[in-house]
Amino acid sequence: MAVVSCEQCRLRCKPQFHQFGDDELAFVQTLQSTQSSMAPNADILVPGEAKGLFTLFAGWAYRYREFPDGNRQILDFLLPGDLIGLQATLLDQTQYGVKTLTAATVCVLDGRPLDEMFREHPALAHLLVRTLMQDQRRTDGQLAFLGRRTAAQRMGYLMLELFDRLDRIGMSNGTWCQFPLQRRHLADALGLSGAHVNRSMTDLRDAGLATLGNNVLVLLDRARLEDFAGYRALDEGERIIL
Amino acid sequence: MAVVSCEQCRLRCKPQFHQFGDDELAFVQTLQSTQSSMAPNADILVPGEAKGLFTLFAGWAYRYREFPDGNRQILDFLLPGDLIGLQATLLDQTQYGVKTLTAATVCVLDGRPLDEMFREHPALAHLLVRTLMQDQRRTDGQLAFLGRRTAAQRMGYLMLELFDRLDRIGMSNGTWCQFPLQRRHLADALGLSGAHVNRSMTDLRDAGLATLGNNVLVLLDRARLEDFAGYRALDEGERIIL
DNA sequence: CGTGCACTTGAAGTACATCAACTAGGGTGG
DNA sequence: CCACCCTAGTTGATGTACTTCAAGTGCACG
């Protein structure tokens, strides 16, 4: 496939992302070596194996941890612009994996070591930390929710959060968006059984809040859904994209 | 109280923390303005209010998020050496608070803006990101656990994790350590009711795995507890302390 | 026209919450 | 010294949200 240079990248221009100066952009371009296309359900990072740093350029992916008993927990969904593998790059032992959910394209960031970014572009490092804090805030929300809300509330929360993240990168359409998660992904993300995911979805549909079908999520009544799920939209501010 | 300078800080010398060069140490000293002692159960950061950046110097604290219904979820426990308030400093809206668990002392980091660290000490910035990734890994574990394990397993996991964190800063004693969490803190951290925390503790004690009493945690059979809780000790590597 | 896979639905079991009654220290005032 | 309360923890009874298992549906693909 044709490699898209950072200068011409359509994703990078979205208002969600910090717009680099010329020298910063040139530097980021040198971080990147190639791009790589992947099938749905393919491994980007395998737990305990080869490390790698990537930017998700197109498609959906998810970060997960698996237990000896075969159970797994989805920690996070990854959308275009998200960085993949920073934890694996900086720490010795990591226990998470990353898989594609849909067909996806990643930019491979092995052109030069990340150290140089800290030395030569402190503003980028600062933005990176800011982006990490946004991710931490999101994780805080998940943690708070897993412990304290019902299955249907958790579902609604996840829907709203993903919708808003898509919206920020121009991938939503007013009241609906693509939503390629299957039942088992929802179950693994929300700590539920597949059967109960189903019941919760039925609840949300019957209550006229949201429906899910054909890989499309429709928010039927956003205001009431927010209220029901205890979700509050947050002003994210700029993120970094490498 | 007497202010301890960074050069004489006993905490900073622990092998857990990266040992700074002289110029770095001098820089970190200028970040700090004063130290402040706090009573147990006092607010360090109030959700949605004044921002501030601190290093916990002595004592225990916890980071929490509260719901409109009065429920709250403890996101993380903070031990000496941990940084407090980075998310609040870098983002506009934050919804978490931090309270002391015991009497505590914090170093107040408002001496000069954090930007200078990125510009003048890129190695510190790099270490900061590494430390944040360690925290993310820990949070990953919590997320995976909340969704997928029983009450007693979650309790055991939390005990082992806190024990090991204490151990790394020299605050454990072989098989036991201080453990100032009350029942309601455990409940709020693990997503349980107070009553069930109690039952789970009884289970762990009856199984000969761990006991809790008088603010002391005793690991009766660490190997079996690790096995039971699905906990694996991780080599953390160096953290940064500001 | 079967064969397989993702989803749906129902019945029964389990792990947890909730509530209420009780117990055990720890001041405080007399 | 005791009578008193106040709070933190303990225990039991009951309700509920979820899991698990099993049978059934609908659609995609050979």
Side-chain angles (χ1 to χ4, degrees):
Chain A
M1 67 168 288
V3 170
V4 180
S5 78
C6 292
E7 286 84 2
Q8 301 163 345
C9 176
R10 287 162 296 113
L11 184 58
R12 190 173 289 284
C13 307
K14 307 277 182 191
Q16 156 92 4
F17 299 113
H18 178 78
Q19 300 304 312
F20 292 151
D22 288 345
D23 55 335
E24 288 169 338
L25 197 54
F27 173 79
V28 169
Q29 176 76 72
T30 67
L31 283 176
Q32 192 183 133
S33 66
T34 61
Q35 288 172 3
S36 167
S37 291
M38 318 194 71
N41 225 18
D43 290 308
I44 301 181
L45 283 178
V46 178
E49 268 189 39
K51 301 161 180 195
L53 194 61
F54 309 93
T55 294
L56 185 55
F57 175 65
W60 294 50
Y62 60 95
R63 205 162 65 84
Y64 65 96
R65 186 181 279 207
E66 53 192 4
F67 295 99
D69 62 8
N71 244 328
R72 88 188 165 165
Q73 173 74 34
I74 291 183
L75 302 166
D76 209 0
F77 291 98
L78 302 166
L79 301 180
D82 285 338
L83 193 59
I84 299 174
L86 189 59
Q87 202 189 113
T89 302
L90 292 178
L91 303 182
D92 293 334
Q93 301 153 295
T94 43
Q95 308 133 310
Y96 71 96
V98 179
K99 272 186 200 261
T100 59
L101 199 57
T102 66
T105 306
V106 297
C107 301
V108 185
L109 304 180
D110 60 356
R112 69 163 91 175
L114 210 55
D115 306 37
E116 298 189 19
M117 187 185 77
F118 289 95
R119 280 204 304 277
E120 296 170 23
H121 292 278
L124 295 189
H126 195 278
L127 264 165
L128 175 62
V129 173
R130 191 180 195 286
T131 303
L132 292 176
M133 286 302 98
Q134 289 174 12
D135 293 341
Q136 187 190 74
R137 181 169 62 180
R138 190 150 42 82
T139 309
D140 287 353
Q142 274 181 261
L143 256 180
F145 254 77
L146 263 184
R148 295 285 168 202
R149 311 313 269 239
T150 67
Q153 287 176 310
R154 282 180 259 171
M155 280 252 338
Y157 190 92
L158 179 64
M159 287 169 169
L160 285 165
E161 190 182 271
L162 282 171
F163 184 91
D164 282 354
R165 286 174 68 193
L166 286 168
D167 193 49
R168 288 194 201 96
I169 51 175
M171 288 175 67
S172 75
N173 288 50
T175 65
W176 64 273
C177 65
Q178 289 298 119
F179 204 79
L181 282 64
Q182 291 178 308
R183 301 290 173 278
R184 64 188 164 86
H185 299 121
L186 286 167
D188 288 345
L190 301 173
L192 295 171
S193 65
H196 206 69
V197 164
N198 192 23
R199 286 181 254 266
S200 307
M201 273 179 19
T202 313
D203 290 349
L204 289 180
R205 185 172 352 102
D206 291 352
L209 299 176
T211 54
L212 212 49
N214 266 327
N215 289 344
V216 168
L217 164 67
V218 184
L219 302 181
L220 297 172
D221 187 338
R222 170 156 187 147
R224 273 178 53 231
L225 183 57
E226 284 188 10
D227 195 47
F228 171 78
Y231 176 89
R232 228 190 62 198
L234 284 175
D235 188 14
E236 273 243 308
E238 286 185 340
R239 290 176 69 86
I240 197 174
I241 176 171
L242 293 182
Chain B
M1 65 166 290
V3 170
V4 180
S5 79
C6 291
E7 284 84 1
Q8 302 164 344
C9 176
R10 288 160 295 113
L11 183 59
R12 190 174 288 285
C13 309
K14 307 277 182 192
Q16 156 91 5
F17 299 113
H18 177 77
Q19 299 305 311
F20 291 152
D22 288 345
D23 54 336
E24 288 168 339
L25 197 56
F27 173 79
V28 169
Q29 176 76 72
T30 66
L31 284 176
Q32 193 184 132
S33 66
T34 62
Q35 287 170 4
S36 166
S37 292
M38 319 194 71
N41 225 18
D43 291 309
I44 302 181
L45 283 177
V46 178
E49 269 189 38
K51 303 161 182 198
L53 193 61
F54 310 93
T55 295
L56 185 55
F57 175 66
W60 294 50
Y62 60 94
R63 205 163 65 84
Y64 65 95
R65 186 182 279 209
E66 53 192 3
F67 294 99
D69 62 9
N71 244 329
R72 91 189 160 164
Q73 173 74 34
I74 291 184
L75 303 167
D76 209 358
F77 291 98
L78 302 166
L79 302 180
D82 286 337
L83 193 59
I84 299 174
L86 189 59
Q87 200 188 114
T89 303
L90 292 178
L91 303 181
D92 293 334
Q93 300 154 295
T94 43
Q95 308 134 311
Y96 72 98
V98 179
K99 273 188 199 256
T100 59
L101 199 57
T102 66
T105 307
V106 297
C107 302
V108 185
L109 304 179
D110 59 357
R112 71 164 88 176
L114 210 55
D115 306 36
E116 299 189 17
M117 187 185 77
F118 289 95
R119 279 204 305 277
E120 295 169 25
H121 292 279
L124 295 189
H126 195 278
L127 263 165
L128 174 63
V129 173
R130 190 180 194 286
T131 303
L132 292 175
M133 287 301 99
Q134 290 174 12
D135 293 341
Q136 188 189 71
R137 182 169 62 178
R138 189 149 44 81
T139 309
D140 287 352
Q142 275 181 261
L143 257 180
F145 253 77
L146 264 185
R148 294 288 169 200
R149 308 316 270 239
T150 67
Q153 288 177 309
R154 280 179 259 172
M155 279 252 340
Y157 190 93
L158 179 63
M159 287 171 170
L160 285 165
E161 189 182 274
L162 282 171
F163 184 91
D164 283 354
R165 286 174 68 191
L166 286 168
D167 193 49
R168 287 194 202 98
I169 52 174
M171 289 175 67
S172 75
N173 287 47
T175 65
W176 64 273
C177 64
Q178 289 297 120
F179 203 80
L181 283 65
Q182 289 179 310
R183 218 183 31 153
R184 62 169 207 281
H185 299 120
L186 287 166
D188 288 345
L190 300 173
L192 295 171
S193 66
H196 208 70
V197 164
N198 192 21
R199 286 182 254 267
S200 306
M201 273 179 17
T202 313
D203 290 349
L204 288 180
R205 184 172 352 100
D206 291 352
L209 298 176
T211 54
L212 213 50
N214 265 326
N215 289 344
V216 167
L217 164 67
V218 183
L219 302 181
L220 298 172
D221 187 338
R222 169 153 187 149
R224 275 179 50 232
L225 183 57
E226 283 189 9
D227 196 49
F228 171 78
Y231 176 88
R232 229 188 62 196
L234 284 176
D235 188 15
E236 274 242 309
E238 286 185 338
R239 291 176 67 86
I240 198 174
I241 176 172
L242 293 181

